[in-house]
Amino acid sequence: MAELAKSAADLSVKAVEEKLTPPWKEALQSFGKNKLAVAGLGIVVFFIIIAILAPVISPYSYKEQVLSDRMLAPSSEHWFGTDDFGRDIFSRILYGARISLWVGFFSVLGSVVFGTMLGIVAGYYGRWVDAIISRIFDIMLAFPSILLAIAVVAILGPSLKNALIAIAVINIPNFGRLVRSKVLSVKQEEYIMAAKAVGMRDTRILLSHILPNSISPVIVQATLAIATAIIEAAALGFLGMGAQAPTPEWGKMLADSKNYITQAPWTLFFPGIAIMLTVLGFNLMGDGLRDILDPKMKN
């Protein structure tokens, strides 16, 4: 009897502790149990570290040309070999991580800010405001994203900065529609009705109640969108509409090396692997966050 009473007491204490566990701590514990998500986080952190420490780690300058060392295969002196200008590919990969992550983070940040603002306004006010914003989103989504990005860069001019702007613009509808759908459900909740009944201003309702309760899916989508943004930046660079020489952007490196695929395959292999691993890391991490933050995915 004593043992049964002790077991019941232990179970009661455990249940109380689980109820008192802060949401952020529970989320971290759930994330830690997802091995693929942790692996994705590890990949992302790895590339962030090498991007920050690129000037320290890289054995050569990313734009240093030694024509006598053209097309050297990977060796102890040049770990990833050299390109057609005799530049060290390993050093260019390290500096390229800075550019790809910079474009990915800031393009998605711009998309999140503007998309969230438009989505909240459309979902909360509805009527003609919602109709206009939704039609703009529909028109933008009617075009393939890469074609729309090319059109924006063609108007602004080819450069890394304009490629970032183009990627931010084409992703705004994705976040706008996501937030709009969430706001449409949240604004029907009783606490929102009560806030309106007591005369709370719309701005305060939006910032204090609507936005915090609509942000979870945005976080997940933003993580996945960074991976997409990196691919889109590489695609624009490959087409010559993104980063310009001698900037060591991974897509541009692929474009510069495509004519040497049989003569020096390492010039394409390593930039391609860098893009693949970075995108894989963000996708795995995004899937893990979705499993944690989306109630429908919880057991």
Side-chain angles (χ1 to χ4, degrees), residues 5 43 70 116 125 172 184 193 210 268 271 289:
I43 295 172
R70 293 178 68 252
T116 300
Y125 291 104
I172 287 176
L184 287 175
M193 302 294 185
I210 299 290
L268 287 91
L289 289 175

Side-chain angles (χ1 to χ4, degrees), residues 172-273:
I172 287 176
N174 297 325
F175 290 99
R177 295 185 68 177
L178 179 65
V179 173
R180 174 186 173 276
S181 63
K182 187 68 176 178
V183 171
L184 287 175
S185 62
V186 171
K187 76 174 185 178
Q188 303 298 329
E189 298 291 338
E190 293 181 357
Y191 63 89
I192 301 296
M193 302 294 185
K196 291 180 179 180
V198 298
M200 185 178 292
R201 298 176 61 182
D202 288 346
T203 304
R204 186 177 177 185
I205 293 175
L206 290 172
L207 296 178
S208 301
H209 300 291
I210 299 290
L211 181 60
N213 288 285
S214 306
I215 204 67
S216 294
V218 174
I219 295 174
V220 176
Q221 181 63 27
T223 306
L224 297 172
I226 292 175
T228 304
I230 291 174
I231 294 177
E232 290 166 345
L236 290 173
F238 185 85
L239 296 173
M241 306 191 73
Q244 302 298 305
T247 305
E249 195 273 324
W250 292 338
K252 179 63 176 173
M253 292 174 66
L254 289 175
D256 293 340
S257 304
K258 65 180 183 297
N259 295 326
Y260 310 103
I261 188 170
T262 56
Q263 181 181 355
W266 56 86
T267 58
L268 287 91
F269 177 78
F270 291 110
I273 288 294

Side-chain angles (χ1 to χ4, degrees), residues 69-72 78 80-83 86-89 266-267:
D69 292 342
R70 293 178 68 252
M71 300 296 188
L72 292 180
H78 298 283
F80 291 176
T82 59
D83 62 10
R87 296 173 298 195
D88 183 66
I89 295 177
W266 56 86
T267 58

Side-chain angles (χ1 to χ4, degrees), residues 17 39 54-55 104 116 124 128 131 137 156 160 170 195 210-211 237 243 271 299:
E17 288 178 348
T116 300
Y124 185 76
W128 63 269
F137 288 165
L156 300 177
L160 184 62
I170 65 176
I210 299 290
L211 181 60
N299 294 327

Side-chain angles (χ1 to χ4, degrees), residues 40-67:
L41 177 61
I43 295 172
V44 171
V45 170
F46 170 75
F47 277 98
I48 291 175
I49 291 174
I50 68 171
I52 294 173
L53 300 178
V56 179
I57 301 174
S58 60
Y60 304 94
S61 171
Y62 70 86
K63 55 184 177 182
E64 180 182 353
Q65 299 181 15
V66 183
L67 296 180

Side-chain angles (χ1 to χ4, degrees), residues 107-117 168 171-172 175 179 215 218 222:
S107 63
V108 170
L109 178 62
S111 301
V112 168
V113 171
F114 288 100
T116 300
M117 290 172 54
N171 285 315
I172 287 176
F175 290 99
V179 173
I215 204 67
V218 174

